[in-house]
């Protein structure tokens, strides 16, 4: 029992939503009770008609009117007919009223479940937006999609049909049993003999359904994650001709899902006949014991008929117990998965702190950082002072900590040691939304949305001035040296670029991403190795354009190429998470250290490449 209660306890978190829509819920409960009241009245009327008819027939036979008095016969038959018509009219009226209140019942309970589904999905999405970058490193996109879609859908089935059927069953049983007790407490006691067996079967089946429901939802998340990765990486799959391998793997995931679903279907298919068997047993007991009581004269035949009608009325709600139990247990399993996400506390709070206008003074004081998921020491004892309006070049080999520096500056993570200040303010004290809104960031992968180029460049723009936004967009595209490329497309800036910008080349994607950052008119611009797919000539033009745009603004250029950072006001060289060299280009060349060696090596590679082009 404790395990069952623990399973169901995950649904407690939905109580706040039920309270939010309490008038829908309370109205729905009232409509259910009223509709069930009209459902049991016909049984009373049938009992009345049956007993009245039998009494009239007995009176008719006792007076022997069938032979000697035709007029009296007609009078008795007309009286019986009139009573039956009256009762028939009442039954039809009750059926119509019941149908009307059942309609209202669905319009309240089911509508309530849709409202809560809407709120729950929005709350989950808002919560996901607040979570830190480390959360997304630990969790798969497909799993999060499954929880916000499939799991919420399972929960809605509990909030709608399960609650509706449960209240319907409870109210109908209470009404029916109370009326049965009024007719015959003894017969009612016999009729309820199968009830303990029903309760026991529900208890034992519940835990099985919860376990299988959890497995099904987890497997569904795995399938969603796998499918999402396959669709995103379709180019790689096709280039390696790995379609057969991927199909085989996916078929394995589907087989596991089918197995868990079939296990649940088997228990569902066994549960429904079991309940019907118990209902049938109650009817047999009613027939046997009720017949004995009728023979003994302690119960009228009409009462037996009404008993059968009450059992028939209860048969569907009782038979639906298996369905409702499955809904509740699957919802509990899904809500448990939802709660796991909703109870995650973000490492970094975004909605508190000082709101400032950023100037661009950046200071790192003895900053060290270790990735919490892997334990890798990414940065160690970083000291850096960059004045507003200056540019910083960050260079180093792969894994030296360049991108980590950008992540800390964006406060995607917090440093475990040391402090970062912006314009003299500790970064942790700033309101994060306001601060990030003044930063333009271009990551290595240059992520683009499956939208038009214009919507990608103007992403996050708050201004509703279409003309001004158009000018800003085109200007940003010119600075990023992608304007001519865009105008060669048939639909120009309204060209749809597909998922993750799949229809663009690597260089075009990076330049559109740069244009997006420029269009935001940031106070601090961070370019995180975003020239990797761009040739050096185009890169030089973009950097020249940026030097004009970012004059008097702070810019940080991260790259593995010396040509990208050499014109920065200050350059730092990272290796193993530490600054091993720093200064401007001339000073670093005079030092003849790592920077000098890297520059000479890359210059020789460039000259060799140009010579090969001339010879070709």
């Amino acid at each position: 029992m404790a395990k069952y209660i623990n399973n169901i306890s995950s649904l407690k978190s939905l109580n706040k939503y039920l309270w939010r829509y309490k008038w829908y819920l309370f109205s729905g409960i009232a409509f259910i009770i009223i509709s069930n009241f009209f459902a049991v009245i016909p049984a009373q009327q049938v009992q009345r008609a049956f007993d009245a008819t039998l009494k009239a027939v007995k009176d008719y036979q006792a007076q022997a009117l069938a032979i000697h008095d035709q007029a009296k016969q007609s009078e008795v038959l007309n009286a019986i007919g009139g009573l039956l018509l009256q009762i028939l009219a009442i039954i039809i009226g009750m059926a119509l009223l019941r149908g009307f209140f059942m309609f209202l019942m669905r319009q309240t309970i089911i509508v309530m479940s849709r409202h809560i589904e809407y709120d729950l999905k929005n709350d989950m999405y808002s919560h996901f937006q607040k979570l830190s970058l480390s959360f997304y490193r630990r969790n798969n996109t497909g799993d999060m999609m499954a929880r916000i879609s499939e799991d919420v859908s399972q929960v809605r089935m509990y909030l709608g049909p399960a609650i509706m059927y449960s209240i319907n069953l409870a109210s109908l049983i209470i009404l029916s049993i109370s009326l049965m007790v009024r007719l015959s407490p003894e017969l009612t006691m016999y009729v309820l003999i199968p009830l303990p067996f029903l309760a026991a079967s529900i208890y034992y089946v519940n835990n099985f359904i919860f376990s299988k429901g959890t497995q099904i939802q987890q497997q569904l998340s795995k399938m969603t994650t796998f499918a999402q990765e396959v669709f995103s990486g379709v180019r790689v799959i096709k280039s390696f001709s790995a379609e057969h391998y991927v199909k085989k793997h996916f078929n394995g995931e589907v087989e596991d899902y089918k197995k868990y679903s079939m296990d649940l279907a088997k228990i569902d298919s066994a549960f429904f006949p079991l309940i019907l068997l118990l209902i049938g047993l109650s009817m047999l007991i009613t027939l046997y014991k009720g017949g004995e009581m009728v023979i003994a004269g302690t119960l009228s035949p009409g009462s037996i008929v009404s008993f059968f009608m009450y059992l028939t009325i209860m048969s569907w709600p009782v038979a639906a117990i298996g369905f409702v139990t499955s809904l509740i247990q699957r919802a509990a399993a899904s809500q448990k998965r939802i709660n796991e996400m909703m109870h995650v506390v973000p490492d970094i709070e975004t909605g508190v702190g000082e709101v400032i206008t950023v100037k661009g003074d950046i200071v790192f004081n003895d900053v060290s950082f270790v990735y919490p998921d892997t334990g890798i020491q990414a940065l160690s004892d970083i000291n850096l002072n960059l004045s507003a309006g200056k540019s910083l070049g960050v260079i180093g080999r792969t894994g030296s900590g360049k991108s980590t520096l950008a992540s800390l500056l964006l406060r995607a993570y917090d440093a475990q040691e040391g402090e970062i200040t912006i314009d003299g303010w500790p970064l942790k004290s700033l309101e994060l939304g306001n601060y990030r809104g003044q930063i333009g960031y271009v990551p290595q992968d240059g992520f683009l949305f499956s939208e038009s180029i214009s919507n990608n460049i103007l992403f996050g723009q708050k201004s509703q001035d279409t003309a001004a936004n158009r000018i800003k967009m085109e200007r940003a595209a010119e600075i990023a040296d992608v304007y001519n490329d865009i105008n060669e497309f048939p639909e120009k800036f309204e060209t749809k670029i597909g998922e993750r910008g799949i229809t663009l080349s690597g260089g075009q994607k990076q330049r559109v991403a740069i244009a997006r950052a420029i269009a935001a008119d940031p106070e601090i611009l961070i370019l995180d190795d975003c020239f990797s797919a761009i040739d050096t000539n185009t890169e030089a033009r973009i950097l020249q354009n940026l030097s004009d745009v970012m004059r008097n603004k702070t810019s940080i250029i991260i790259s593995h190429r010396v040509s990208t950072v050499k014109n920065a006001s200050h350059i730092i060289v990272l290796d193993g998470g530490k600054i091993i060299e720093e200064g401007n280009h001339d000073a670093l060349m005079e030092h003849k250290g790592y920077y000098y060696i890297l520059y000479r090596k890359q210059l020789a590679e460039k000259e060799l490449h140009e010579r090969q082009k001339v010879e070709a």
Side-chain angles (χ1 to χ4, degrees), residues 36-88:
N36 286 335
F37 176 75
F38 290 126
V40 297
I41 288 178
Q44 294 177 304
Q45 297 302 315
V46 169
Q47 176 194 353
R48 176 187 167 199
F50 200 86
D51 286 341
T53 303
L54 285 178
K55 183 178 182 301
V57 170
K58 286 180 180 180
D59 291 344
Y60 172 78
Q61 290 174 339
Q63 298 173 20
L65 294 176
I67 299 174
H68 303 292
D69 193 341
Q70 294 294 330
K72 192 66 175 177
Q73 178 186 22
S74 299
E75 182 182 337
V76 172
L77 293 176
N78 288 336
I80 294 173
L83 177 62
L84 293 177
L85 286 174
Q86 178 187 358
I87 292 172
L88 180 61

Side-chain angles (χ1 to χ4, degrees), residues 116-305:
I116 295 177
E117 178 187 28
Y118 173 82
D119 289 351
L120 185 56
K121 285 187 175 182
N122 280 331
D123 288 348
M124 288 185 69
Y125 182 79
S126 298
H127 182 68
F128 285 159
Q129 295 294 301
K130 296 174 184 176
L131 295 176
S132 308
L133 192 60
S134 58
F135 169 83
Y136 292 96
R137 291 170 64 96
R138 295 191 301 268
N139 293 277
N140 295 319
T141 303
D143 181 48
M144 289 186 286
M145 289 170 59
R147 298 194 194 215
I148 204 172
S149 57
E150 295 300 326
D151 283 318
V152 172
S153 295
Q154 292 293 334
V155 170
R156 186 195 66 79
M157 293 300 288
Y158 156 73
L159 294 165
I163 286 180
M164 184 176 69
Y165 290 138
S166 298
I167 297 170
N168 183 53
L169 172 63
S171 62
L172 197 54
I173 285 178
I174 291 172
L175 282 170
S176 298
I177 291 178
S178 62
L179 291 173
M180 290 163 69
V181 169
R182 285 180 61 186
L183 288 172
S184 173
E186 182 183 355
L187 184 56
T188 302
M189 182 183 66
Y190 282 111
V191 168
L192 297 180
I193 286 175
L195 193 61
F197 298 99
L198 178 63
S201 63
I202 292 172
Y203 170 72
Y204 285 110
V205 165
N206 267 331
N207 287 328
F208 181 86
I209 294 176
F210 180 85
S211 173
K212 288 301 175 183
T214 301
Q215 288 180 325
I216 287 171
Q217 294 307 113
Q218 289 174 343
Q219 187 61 30
L220 184 62
S221 291
K222 290 177 66 177
M223 285 172 55
T224 305
T225 298
F226 185 79
Q228 185 264 336
E229 289 178 348
V230 167
F231 297 145
S232 297
V234 66
R235 281 183 172 179
V236 177
I237 292 169
K238 287 186 175 296
S239 65
F240 281 88
S241 190
E243 292 92 342
H244 178 72
Y245 167 76
V246 170
K247 182 180 178 181
K248 183 179 179 181
H249 190 173
F250 185 72
N251 285 344
E253 299 290 351
V254 173
E255 281 296 323
D256 289 341
Y257 180 78
K258 184 181 76 171
K259 178 181 177 299
Y260 299 142
S261 297
M262 291 301 292
D263 289 343
L264 184 59
K266 288 175 183 176
I267 195 67
D268 280 342
S269 63
F271 198 25
F272 185 74
L274 174 63
I275 292 172
L276 289 181
L277 175 64
L278 295 174
I279 293 172
L281 183 59
S282 291
M283 288 185 171
L284 285 174
I285 293 172
T286 301
L287 182 62
Y288 179 75
K289 292 302 297 182
E292 286 185 342
M293 296 173 73
V294 169
I295 293 170
T298 58
L299 196 66
S300 70
S303 298
I304 299 296
V305 174

Side-chain angles (χ1 to χ4, degrees), residues 382-393:
I382 299 297
N383 288 283
L384 178 65
N385 194 326
L386 183 65
S387 301
K390 300 296 183 180
S391 58
L392 172 70

Side-chain angles (χ1 to χ4, degrees), residues 531-546:
F531 294 98
S532 57
I534 300 174
D535 64 85
T536 53
N537 292 329
T538 304
E539 174 191 75
R541 289 196 298 271
I542 295 172
L543 290 172
Q544 180 57 49
N545 295 337
L546 285 173

Side-chain angles (χ1 to χ4, degrees), residues 532-584:
S532 57
I534 300 174
D535 64 85
T536 53
N537 292 329
T538 304
E539 174 191 75
R541 289 196 298 271
I542 295 172
L543 290 172
Q544 180 57 49
N545 295 337
L546 285 173
S547 67
D548 297 332
V549 174
M550 294 301 294
R551 187 174 288 114
N552 301 322
K553 294 185 179 182
T554 304
S555 57
I556 298 172
I557 304 169
I558 299 170
S559 181
H560 63 281
R561 292 200 304 225
V562 173
S563 61
T564 308
V565 303
K566 68 178 183 178
N567 292 322
S569 307
H570 190 74
I571 301 169
I572 60 172
V573 181
L574 289 176
D575 188 45
K578 296 182 179 180
I579 298 176
I580 58 172
E581 292 179 327
E582 61 180 312
N584 59 27

